[in-house]
Amino acid sequence: MQTQGVYLYQIGKIQQAQDIFQEVLKRATEENIPVNKTSLYHNLSITHFKSGNFDKYLEIQFQALELAQKEQNYEHQFKILQNLHIFYRRNGDISSSLRYINEALKLSKRHGNIEDLGSIFVSLGVFYRDLKSNPDSAATYFQKADSVINRQQNFNLYFKLLTEKARLYETQNKFQQALNIYRSTKQTVRSQKNTQTYLHALVDEARILLKLDKISEVGEVIAILNNSDLSLLDFAQIVKAKTLEANYLITTGEPNSAYEILKPTIRQVVERAQSSTDLQSGFWSIEQEYLDAFKLFVDLLIETDRPGEAALALDQLKTINDAAFYQDPMVKAQQLNESELTQYRQLANNLDQLRKQKLSASSRERVQIQNKIDRLNAQKRALDRKITQYADKPTINMHQVQRQLSSNDLILHITELEETYYLASITKRNIDFHKVDLDEQTRGLFDQSIQALSTGETDLNKLYRLGKKLNISELASSIENVILIPDSYLFQLPMDILPLTPPSSHYSYGEPTYFIEQYRTEYLTSLNEFVHGAQPDKSFNWDYVGFGISEFNNAGSELMPLPYARREILQISRELTNLEDHRTILEEQSTEEAFRAAAPKARILHLATHSTVSEQDPLFSRIYMSSPAGQTETEQFNSQIFAYELFEMNLTNDLIMLNSCESGSGSYLQGSGIVGISRALRYAGAESLVLNLWSVNDMMASDFATRFYRALNDGDSKSEALRKAKVYFLKQKNANPHYWGPYMLIGSSQAVVKPMQSSNIYVASGFMLYLIVMVSLSYMAQQQNIPTGNKRE
């Protein structure tokens, strides 16, 4: 039966093959029938991958690897390690991808298998080409592969090598060299009557022909493809073929036909990409074919005067792995049965223990522990998917977006796609697009500006040049409010700090007019959040909870004291006179245990402490708390809250301000945004966050927070309160954007405090008291004027 399953898989009947593999596995388990379970697991997992069930694919791959290691089956171990490398590479997970290919490399060297070394060299070439953008290293590994692969005995591997070399030529714009390879391989596989590989080569050849403007030859290829069974191809290859056909139709003057091909293709790409997401790490399967299809579709929509649909398509791309899924315990309880809930808690606890073990393990132990983490995480991903697939994420249209805008509002929707910034300016009546080429010079300008800002050596000339590129000086004079939906660099460089007028020098900080002075700004993650972001009123035990730590007693810690943290927490409490229930938790009381107990019950949650963002693994970004009494150095992690722990908390606070070092920074992933502490807090349910993009002086940070909460207490929206604090610092403290620019509000801008309601009550109460007094006085006066009368004798 297993042979029949393999045959069905080879002819593209994936579901039937999967059913057969499942049946064989069931019978082998129940009837103890002798079968090669490692091979069976592998074949079954591949059918799940082909059908887009990536969680099940990973789970079964790890089962197969464990069995292959137990049986010391070299061939299957090697194949599975390579599969895991490819999966994580496609998801953009550099660390995991490199770890598994290195394990495969060590295994093949121990067994002295030259052909397997060739396969590894091909994989490493792709890794350096796609994830490291290092064409020289990629070419070196491809050359190594060419020197060890036997072309006659292992043609499939040699074909893969040639294809990957041709793609390297494409990235270098060496289209003729790429075309020569594709044509050569096409002829070879055609003679072998390998239909699947032939179609693969045909599509690649036609793509290059189109780049070389050989339109008639492309048309001939399209005709062949339209008469072929494309279901034999992988999903990514089908997307590539559809994108090719649409591009050909656009070139030949049939944009409407191209639209009819691309629209359903993009829908399928989004559905498949979302099924590959890791909700915590932010990784998802970013195939180049997906991005090529998106770019062609968006460009087509803009050129055919459908800017609204273009903006919505870009918003889909930006939010493929959105962290706005709310970890509501009620939803979890509804979607998981009792057994699954128990398994979920056990997996979370086991993962927590392993991750903390990894932090203090040796380099060899870390590899083994991470492999265990990956296996458990694959199981947890399946349960996460079961929860979030029912998350309420309604679709929107541009009419809904524009209807909520006033005549003074502008949405600036920014998306990076294929070396281009797409800036959509959305007002109540118009949608305009502006493109910025993200060439090497522009990327350098962003990088240099961000670096200078973070060190206090802000270069206004560079910031002004960036503002000109982004076209911010061209906003309509009627605009007062700008809702920013940023991407990539603009998660790290807030629009607020860009000068609108040219500075006379790079350090004349008090001279220009800044964006924040002319416009009120707020930041959201998507158009969907703009339309459906408002949350119903919630009840909390406390209106304000503040954690402040000045002296860090963590065992083995080298954290610098924060002398103003305590004062900050207390001063904020004094400022919030229109909120009643306050709780301040200071110094040694600010433990992780206290945070877990109090944080979910606060309307406003404020932390004045240290935090660090891990660029290597964002899930290990951490917030530092105070150590419990008697904590030893081996228990040091008990005073740290890691990002992966925040994902499991229920933090539905109206506002969280983490006034700590670089709390809003982290690694950027397309379709996910910034991964780290900010993503974890959003996933945990926070309605809005105020975070720091770079480190600032302790005293300045404390003063800034106090000024922000003073405006918040007056009833200002969160964005307006933040704007007032920034402008005050700009005008009264230090105009260098380094000091007032790092604070970014993400999420709902709605006011937390509504003192006008209290004031109205006080006024009404006073007026009623006045009326009562006046009526009483009037009554008494009337009583004094009534005649008493004579008595009868």
Side-chain angles (χ1 to χ4, degrees):
M1 281 184 73
Q2 190 170 179
T3 305
Q4 183 184 0
V6 172
Y7 170 74
L8 289 169
Y9 172 83
Q10 289 175 340
I11 63 174
K13 297 186 180 300
I14 307 299
Q15 187 58 55
Q16 292 95 317
Q18 185 179 116
D19 292 341
I20 285 178
F21 292 142
Q22 289 276 23
E23 180 63 25
V24 173
L25 182 60
K26 181 182 177 183
R27 290 178 60 185
T29 304
E30 293 177 351
E31 302 172 22
N32 202 24
I33 298 174
V35 296
N36 189 330
K37 277 194 176 181
T38 310
S39 176
L40 181 57
Y41 275 133
H42 173 73
N43 291 337
L44 179 59
S45 69
I46 295 299
T47 64
H48 283 293
F49 182 87
K50 295 291 185 182
S51 59
N53 190 348
F54 299 108
D55 298 327
K56 199 66 179 176
Y57 167 77
L58 265 186
E59 183 182 340
I60 297 175
Q61 281 285 308
F62 282 123
Q63 289 176 345
L65 179 61
E66 189 173 358
L67 186 59
Q69 289 171 336
K70 183 178 179 180
E71 296 175 349
Q72 296 186 338
N73 186 319
Y74 162 74
E75 181 184 348
H76 289 156
Q77 284 184 69
F78 180 83
K79 185 182 295 184
I80 295 163
L81 288 170
Q82 272 218 308
N83 287 342
L84 291 171
H85 157 75
I86 292 169
F87 177 84
Y88 286 110
R89 186 190 74 212
R90 286 174 170 172
N91 278 31
D93 187 342
I94 293 176
S95 177
S96 298
S97 174
L98 200 55
R99 186 174 69 257
Y100 285 112
I101 200 63
N102 283 334
E103 284 194 54
L105 180 59
K106 291 176 186 176
L107 189 67
S108 65
K109 284 182 176 179
R110 282 203 306 268
H111 286 263
N113 192 308
I114 300 299
E115 285 296 304
D116 285 345
L117 275 178
S119 177
I120 289 171
F121 291 148
V122 173
S123 291
L124 284 169
V126 176
F127 175 85
Y128 279 97
R129 183 195 66 202
D130 294 349
L131 293 190
K132 290 291 190 178
S133 300
N134 189 333
D136 293 336
S137 293
T140 299
Y141 277 112
F142 289 150
Q143 186 61 42
K144 286 183 178 182
D146 201 7
S147 67
V148 298
I149 295 174
N150 187 313
R151 305 179 185 188
Q152 280 72 41
Q153 294 182 7
N154 199 343
F155 176 77
N156 286 338
L157 179 58
Y158 183 63
F159 172 79
K160 179 174 176 57
L161 169 62
L162 291 177
T163 301
E164 301 300 352
K165 283 176 69 174
R167 289 177 182 169
L168 177 62
Y169 285 137
E170 286 188 60
T171 65
Q172 299 169 316
N173 293 328
K174 298 177 180 179
F175 297 125
Q176 191 58 54
Q177 289 97 315
L179 181 61
N180 293 340
I181 289 177
Y182 288 138
R183 279 181 163 167
S184 173
T185 54
K186 183 191 72 172
Q187 294 304 323
T188 303
V189 297
R190 189 176 188 179
S191 64
Q192 295 179 346
K193 297 183 179 180
N194 187 329
T195 305
Q196 183 180 18
T197 311
Y198 171 70
L199 291 174
H200 186 167
L202 198 63
V203 171
D204 283 329
E205 177 194 15
R207 286 190 307 102
I208 304 302
L209 288 170
L210 194 59
K211 291 178 186 292
L212 296 173
D213 292 326
K214 298 184 178 181
I215 309 302
S216 59
E217 293 182 59
V218 177
E220 295 172 6
V221 173
I222 298 295
I224 295 172
L225 291 174
N226 285 336
N227 289 312
S228 302
D229 182 8
L230 294 185
S231 66
L232 295 172
L233 296 175
D234 291 343
F235 179 77
Q237 291 296 323
I238 294 173
V239 172
K240 186 191 290 187
K242 294 296 182 183
T243 305
L244 166 69
E245 183 179 4
N247 204 350
Y248 170 75
L249 290 169
I250 292 169
T251 305
T252 54
E254 297 184 59
N256 290 335
S257 299
Y259 174 85
E260 294 302 323
I261 290 173
L262 286 173
K263 188 174 177 63
T265 300
I266 292 296
R267 183 174 62 251
Q268 292 172 41
V269 163
V270 171
E271 290 173 357
R272 189 174 178 92
Q274 286 176 336
S275 70
S276 74
T277 56
D278 186 320
L279 299 174
Q280 291 193 3
S281 70
F283 294 121
W284 60 281
S285 183
I286 310 174
E287 302 281 4
Q288 185 59 47
E289 290 83 357
Y290 299 173
L291 299 180
D292 291 342
F294 255 106
K295 181 169 175 57
L296 184 65
F297 186 52
V298 169
D299 286 339
L300 173 64
L301 292 171
I302 294 172
E303 290 164 10
T304 56
D305 198 26
R306 297 183 231 195
E309 194 172 351
L312 290 171
L314 289 168
D315 202 60
Q316 276 190 307
L317 176 62
K318 285 164 63 70
T319 57
I320 278 175
N321 197 2
D322 191 3
F325 292 111
Y326 168 38
Q327 276 280 67
D328 188 338
M330 293 298 293
V331 174
K332 193 182 294 184
Q334 289 169 3
Q335 303 307 329
L336 302 182
N337 59 41
E338 194 62 39
S339 173
E340 289 170 330
L341 279 170
T342 302
Q343 182 189 8
Y344 190 95
R345 295 188 195 101
Q346 188 63 50
L347 286 169
N349 290 335
N350 291 345
L351 283 166
D352 177 55
Q353 292 173 14
L354 286 170
R355 282 164 171 157
K356 287 176 179 173
Q357 287 176 25
K358 179 185 172 185
L359 290 171
S360 55
S362 66
S363 57
R364 182 176 180 179
E365 289 172 333
R366 280 199 297 271
V367 171
Q368 296 171 345
I369 291 171
Q370 185 58 52
N371 289 348
K372 292 179 181 178
I373 290 173
D374 289 343
R375 294 176 191 185
L376 293 180
N377 198 45
Q379 298 174 48
K380 186 173 176 294
R381 279 178 54 154
L383 295 175
D384 281 332
R385 186 92 52 226
K386 190 171 181 180
I387 297 165
T388 56
Q389 68 181 335
Y390 295 102
D392 185 17
K393 192 180 179 184
T395 57
I396 60 170
N397 57 57
M398 194 51 66
H399 176 68
Q400 290 174 288
V401 174
Q402 291 182 293
R403 188 174 57 197
Q404 292 193 24
L405 293 170
S406 74
S407 58
N408 304 121
D409 293 338
L410 167 75
I411 294 177
L412 193 55
H413 187 283
I414 304 160
T415 312
E416 179 181 336
L417 175 58
E418 295 285 82
E419 305 300 320
T420 302
Y421 249 166
Y422 289 82
L423 286 82
S425 298
I426 306 170
T427 62
K428 193 167 187 66
R429 304 199 178 279
N430 296 307
I431 304 172
D432 297 308
F433 266 92
H434 171 64
K435 295 182 187 180
V436 177
D437 290 332
L438 289 174
D439 52 26
E440 186 176 347
Q441 183 181 15
T442 303
R443 289 189 182 277
L445 187 59
F446 271 112
D447 288 332
Q448 293 160 22
S449 298
I450 292 168
Q451 177 62 26
L453 270 167
S454 65
T455 60
E457 299 176 357
T458 310
D459 190 325
L460 288 182
N461 289 329
K462 285 186 170 66
L463 292 178
Y464 181 70
R465 284 166 57 195
L466 283 175
K468 295 294 286 184
K469 281 184 174 291
L470 297 173
N471 221 24
I472 62 172
S473 59
E474 302 300 319
L475 301 186
S477 59
S478 60
I479 298 301
E480 298 175 1
N481 310 304
V482 179
I483 298 103
L484 291 151
I485 302 178
D487 205 9
S488 65
Y489 291 110
L490 292 172
F491 276 121
Q492 302 166 283
L493 190 149
M495 195 80 77
D496 300 350
I497 65 171
L498 297 179
L500 293 173
T501 54
S504 58
S505 71
H506 72 272
Y507 56 83
S508 56
Y509 303 126
E511 180 185 67
T513 299
Y514 293 93
F515 195 88
I516 192 66
E517 295 182 84
Q518 190 157 326
Y519 304 104
R520 286 189 291 272
T521 62
E522 58 183 287
Y523 289 78
L524 299 174
T525 57
S526 68
L527 291 172
N528 204 306
E529 185 179 14
F530 174 73
V531 174
H532 298 290
Q535 298 292 328
D537 287 339
K538 301 180 287 287
S539 60
F540 296 92
N541 291 39
W542 296 290
D543 289 317
Y544 164 73
V545 171
F547 288 86
I549 309 172
S550 295
E551 296 291 338
F552 291 84
N553 58 352
N554 308 53
S557 171
E558 298 180 356
L559 296 171
M560 294 292 292
L562 298 174
Y564 289 89
R566 179 187 180 91
R567 189 191 77 169
E568 177 180 328
I569 297 302
L570 294 174
Q571 185 59 36
I572 291 170
S573 182
R574 285 191 285 269
E575 293 289 346
L576 293 172
T577 57
N578 285 305
L579 292 177
E580 296 179 356
D581 299 313
H582 298 192
R583 186 179 178 192
T584 56
I585 306 173
L586 304 170
E587 306 304 351
E588 66 274 3
Q589 301 300 318
S590 295
T591 62
E592 178 186 356
E593 184 180 0
F595 179 88
R596 289 180 178 275
K601 301 173 183 177
R603 183 178 302 280
I604 296 175
L605 175 62
H606 185 92
L607 294 96
T609 182
H610 280 296
S611 64
T612 57
V613 172
S614 172
E615 296 289 346
Q616 185 175 5
D617 189 340
L619 290 179
F620 282 96
S621 302
R622 66 193 78 182
I623 302 170
Y624 290 92
M625 306 301 290
S626 186
S627 299
Q631 175 176 289
T632 65
E633 188 168 348
T634 57
E635 298 171 319
Q636 60 178 303
F637 302 125
N638 292 344
S639 57
Q640 300 169 24
I641 302 172
F642 293 92
Y644 68 80
E645 294 178 292
L646 292 170
F647 273 98
E648 303 303 328
M649 295 186 189
N650 182 28
L651 300 174
T652 61
N653 317 80
D654 278 358
L655 171 65
I656 298 177
M657 184 170 185
L658 181 50
N659 202 10
S660 63
C661 312
E662 304 176 2
S663 55
S665 63
S667 303
Y668 166 75
L669 290 177
Q670 184 160 44
S672 299
I674 296 295
V675 292
I677 293 173
S678 60
R679 179 179 177 83
L681 290 172
R682 289 285 282 164
Y683 183 87
E687 190 167 325
S688 56
L689 308 172
V690 175
L691 304 171
N692 300 3
L693 298 179
W694 55 82
S695 300
V696 292
N697 172 273
D698 177 39
M699 182 182 72
M700 299 284 275
S702 177
D703 288 348
F704 187 94
T706 301
R707 180 65 57 170
F708 167 66
Y709 282 104
R710 184 175 300 168
L712 206 62
N713 186 65
D714 290 338
D716 286 330
S717 67
K718 297 164 198 166
S719 58
E720 179 61 15
L722 198 62
R723 177 181 176 273
K724 283 184 176 179
K726 289 184 177 184
V727 172
Y728 172 81
F729 260 64
L730 192 165
K731 299 292 187 183
Q732 305 295 330
K733 294 281 188 176
N734 194 319
N736 185 341
H738 167 77
Y739 295 103
W740 55 265
Y743 300 93
M744 179 179 281
L745 169 70
I746 304 172
S748 169
S749 180
Q750 288 183 339
V752 177
V753 180
K754 300 175 182 177
M756 289 304 296
Q757 293 180 1
S758 301
S759 299
N760 290 340
I761 291 171
Y762 294 144
V763 170
S765 299
F767 183 68
M768 289 299 295
L769 181 60
Y770 171 77
L771 283 178
I772 291 170
V773 171
M774 293 303 294
V775 169
S776 299
L777 290 173
S778 175
Y779 177 78
M780 291 171 61
Q782 290 177 20
Q783 290 297 315
Q784 290 174 0
N785 293 329
I786 294 175
T788 60
N790 298 327
K791 291 183 180 178
R792 287 188 188 178
E793 299 181 355

